[in-house]
Amino acid sequence: MSDSLKDVAVFVVSLMDEFHRFSVAGEKEVLVKFAKQATRKMCTDLDTIHFVATYLNPPSKDLHELQLRYDRHQIPIDIVNDAQKLLDDLGKSFEEMRYQAPPQSQPPARHLTFLQRTLGGSSAPKSSSLHQEQQQYERDTRSMPASKFWPLAKSSYPILHEIAQKVHAIQASEADVERSFSIIKNLYTPNRQSLDLKMLEKLMILKEKDRFDTGET
């Protein structure tokens, strides 16, 4: 399973699909029963941010299809509406941050142009609204991984791009954190305790880059 938040919701419902198939086939009934119960709890414990991350991953952006899969297992989660509410909140926050001029740079009200007054102090027109971006994004036929899609789509979906950057930076597990501690332990040995933090950070980056280049997990 990936450490990325965007893969969790699809992964756990795929497990439910598999366990359901086993139970229908009558295979290992007791084991399958307990596995289904554990996986069902995982499904119900998912936070809305998991579904937003799933939506912002082009190959899995159809939340209606995901909702149907959860409904088949009678998991009471309103994926589509809950995800949209959170997206609206995030979009509003990002738009406010983007178009709110710093207090020290705001000119006196009498010096504002009509356009600046209309746009709340911003001298540039606002980008397309979140819902407009969503409509275009959902019609976008590019089905590539989020890591490749969003750098290319930044200018087309500025608000969604900003949300995707933040959401996809969230780790689904503590594996990466634990791995980082292990790397630090190997770098910051008793005979290297004179290393300053900046040098330690650079060594960490080199180690992570080496791990990424070699495909280690």
Side-chain angles (χ1 to χ4, degrees):
M1 179 180 171
S2 169
D3 281 340
S4 176
L5 206 65
K6 62 183 170 53
D7 301 318
V8 175
V10 176
F11 176 78
V12 291
V13 79
S14 296
L15 282 180
M16 287 295 293
D17 292 340
E18 285 298 305
F19 293 140
H20 178 71
R21 184 175 64 82
F22 287 140
S23 63
V24 169
E27 299 179 19
K28 301 179 180 178
E29 293 183 11
V30 176
L31 179 62
V32 169
K33 179 181 177 180
F34 283 109
K36 282 180 69 175
Q37 289 176 349
T39 308
R40 184 182 179 84
K41 187 176 187 310
M42 289 172 62
C43 291
T44 54
D45 286 348
L46 289 180
D47 193 80
T48 307
I49 195 70
H50 288 90
F51 303 117
V52 171
T54 302
Y55 173 73
L56 293 172
N57 183 36
S60 59
K61 65 184 173 185
D62 187 355
L63 291 186
H64 291 280
E65 191 274 336
L66 186 64
Q67 180 76 67
L68 288 174
R69 293 177 68 184
Y70 274 71
D71 289 345
R72 280 198 293 269
H73 298 294
Q74 299 180 335
I75 299 170
I77 301 176
D78 192 351
I79 293 173
V80 177
N81 289 328
D82 289 351
Q84 188 59 57
K85 287 176 185 176
L86 182 55
L87 268 172
D88 287 340
D89 289 342
L90 291 172
K92 183 179 178 182
S93 298
F94 283 126
E95 282 192 292
E96 286 175 352
M97 286 189 291
R98 175 175 293 183
Y99 297 110
Q100 184 177 12
Q104 65 271 19
S105 65
Q106 289 181 347
R110 64 180 181 277
H111 293 152
L112 291 176
T113 65
F114 172 76
L115 181 61
Q116 287 175 319
R117 290 194 190 96
T118 305
L119 296 176
S122 172
S123 59
K126 290 190 178 183
S127 65
S128 59
S129 70
L130 174 65
H131 289 183
Q132 288 174 328
E133 287 190 17
Q134 284 186 256
Q135 289 173 4
Q136 294 175 10
Y137 169 63
E138 288 166 15
R139 290 195 296 265
D140 199 312
T141 57
R142 290 174 290 180
S143 184
M144 59 182 72
S147 58
K148 294 183 178 179
F149 176 84
W150 288 110
L152 297 174
K154 181 178 180 179
S155 59
S156 302
Y157 316 113
I159 302 172
L160 285 176
H161 171 268
E162 202 155 356
I163 296 173
Q165 271 195 315
K166 303 296 184 184
V167 170
H168 289 159
I170 303 172
Q171 293 297 308
S173 73
E174 296 180 0
D176 270 354
V177 178
E178 296 293 340
R179 192 179 297 118
S180 295
F181 279 123
S182 297
I183 293 172
I184 289 177
K185 185 178 178 180
N186 292 332
L187 290 173
Y188 199 64
T189 57
N191 60 340
R192 303 181 74 185
Q193 291 188 359
S194 60
L195 284 172
D196 61 25
L197 290 178
K198 287 187 177 180
M199 179 58 71
L200 188 60
E201 181 182 2
K202 290 175 182 177
L203 290 172
M204 282 285 295
I205 292 171
L206 288 173
K207 282 286 186 182
E208 287 292 335
K209 182 181 183 303
D210 183 59
R211 185 172 65 85
F212 179 80
D213 290 342
T214 57
E216 294 179 18
T217 57

